[in-house]
Amino acid sequence: MKISTRGRYAMRVMVNLAMNDKDLFIPLKQIANEEEIPFKYVETIMTDLSKNNLVIGKYGKNGGYKLAKDANQYSVGEILKITENELSLLDCLIYKEKACPRTQKCKTMPLWQSLNTLIIDYLNSISLMDLLSNNQEFNFGDGI
């Protein structure tokens, strides 16, 4: 799995919104400037986030975007799934037999499935609120 620029930018945008008053609509231009992301790129990201009800948009004077819910209710995995479409390590985990005719007899499949589950569970365990904490350490827990 490789997180694209789009995914990384979406995370930065969501953290930016989480740092602001939850009742304020933040203009796209402000977000783009603060995060040093091209305006057009932020526009396309916000369209996806808005369509998936992660943010609320408002047009006109005092318009912009804000989070649709509290920062502790968003997981990193949820945000990345929207921008990346898939978080799986390998095509064979997504498409099964369509990607590889050996899927059913592959001796390494359990390894990839377990690793994939571990990564997705980890991403889903971290909230936007966790990212706002400067001293938060992210680890895999019990000896991993």
Side-chain angles (χ1 to χ4, degrees):
M1 166 188 344
K2 181 176 179 182
I3 305 299
S4 68
T5 300
R6 183 179 185 78
R8 294 190 318 271
Y9 284 177
M11 290 304 309
R12 287 171 40 195
V13 165
M14 292 295 286
V15 168
N16 184 294
L17 291 174
M19 291 187 312
N20 288 286
D21 182 326
K22 68 177 186 169
D23 295 324
L24 292 179
F25 286 90
I26 310 303
L28 277 183
K29 189 173 186 175
Q30 179 181 330
I31 297 167
N33 288 338
E34 289 175 359
E35 296 303 323
E36 300 175 349
I37 301 171
F39 180 81
K40 287 290 185 189
Y41 215 145
V42 174
E43 253 183 342
T44 61
I45 290 168
M46 295 311 270
T47 298
D48 286 343
L49 296 174
S50 182
K51 274 193 234 178
N52 287 280
N53 302 314
L54 270 68
V55 297
I56 299 169
K58 177 181 172 187
Y59 295 103
K61 187 177 180 181
N62 300 320
Y65 288 88
K66 68 179 184 175
L67 296 180
K69 51 191 177 184
D70 290 334
N72 62 350
Q73 295 179 299
Y74 293 92
S75 75
V76 170
E78 169 187 22
I79 297 163
L80 290 176
K81 179 111 170 85
I82 288 167
T83 57
E84 301 299 321
N85 296 319
E86 264 309 325
L87 293 178
S88 291
L89 292 170
L90 304 168
D91 285 345
C92 59
L93 295 173
I94 303 167
Y95 305 111
K96 308 283 187 234
E97 290 81 15
K98 289 181 184 177
C100 177
R102 293 187 37 81
T103 298
Q104 294 301 318
K105 58 185 173 186
C106 180
K107 296 295 183 195
T108 62
M109 183 58 74
L111 167 72
W112 305 130
Q113 289 170 325
S114 294
L115 179 58
N116 200 66
T117 298
L118 181 69
I119 292 170
I120 291 171
D121 288 350
Y122 174 71
L123 293 173
N124 286 333
S125 75
I126 300 170
S127 72
L128 275 182
M129 188 61 79
D130 293 332
L131 296 176
L132 294 179
S133 173
N134 289 336
N135 57 4
Q136 174 71 36
E137 287 187 33
F138 301 103
N139 59 49
F140 287 107
D142 302 329
I144 298 175

